[in-house]
Amino acid sequence: MGRSRRTLPEELLLLALDPTTGTTAQPQSLDLGLAGAQLVELALAGRIAPDGDRIAVVAPRPTGDPTLDCALELLRRRGAPVRAVNWIGGPRLGLRQTYLSHLERCGMVHAVEGQMCGVLPTTRYQATDTAISREIKVRLDSAIRTGVPPDPRTAALAALAHAVGLGKHLYPGNEGRSSRSRLRDLIRHDPMGGLVAHAVMDVQNGAAAQPRRAPAPAGRQAAGPGARPAPEPARGVPAQPRHGSMARAVAH
């Protein structure tokens, strides 16, 4: 993969950078978005492909991008397709900083050192050439304004931007409401981008550890009039086994 084109994680991060403050919008969800953007970029490069709600490696050869190749190798080591929601919800410590440092080495941002409360050291990153960020935003604006189906890369970027909550950063206030709505609608124009974006939102909603349940058998769907349905476990809390012996032991 040549380096003449910016990758989706880089573009997503540049969109999230505030040109005035040098901070990143939606930092927690942005980390999930960067992991998802890596998947889309690998798919665009022909290295992985969707397999239902899972991701399968179809060509394990390196792309030439060290960060993407690290993700590709981790996927290859799984040995079997992995659920997108599980991959995105896994630990991604330092991924945002890795991309910020890369953008700094490329001269697209520069670090600004400071202090919080006059004591704690802080580092902000400001764009050295805001024209790059504007060009990325113009692509999204064009897709939103014209209604013409965008190319897969722009569609995936729009889907990821919506998934991590950048809509209110890019199109703030009541005047940006319709643009935020159309940004969300662009999710349907790229299957891989849509899969990843929904996985990002599922992780944020706490659904990463809860695979979709198969429909209950017809004979067990109802227990007669007035029967109370079994209580569902709280979100994010696995159901406990219901063994008679264990129940008796607890009762004693």
Side-chain angles (χ1 to χ4, degrees), residues 16-65:
L17 275 178
D18 189 298
T20 303
T21 65
T23 59
T24 52
Q26 305 296 109
Q28 292 183 333
S29 56
L30 180 62
D31 291 343
L32 302 176
L34 291 174
Q38 286 185 315
L39 293 181
V40 180
E41 191 65 50
L42 287 170
L44 290 171
R47 302 311 196 266
I48 64 175
D51 182 5
D53 68 343
R54 297 175 183 266
I55 303 297
V57 176
V58 295
R61 66 184 184 279
T63 65
D65 180 298

Side-chain angles (χ1 to χ4, degrees), residues 181-225:
S181 176
R182 288 193 288 270
L183 180 72
R184 179 196 62 218
D185 292 343
L186 291 175
I187 201 170
R188 71 183 187 275
H189 289 293
D190 180 61
M192 184 66 180
L195 168 65
V196 169
H198 281 111
V200 168
M201 290 185 283
D202 282 347
V203 173
Q204 294 180 82
N205 292 330
Q210 300 183 27
R212 298 180 186 275
R213 296 180 181 178
R220 297 177 59 189
Q221 287 183 350

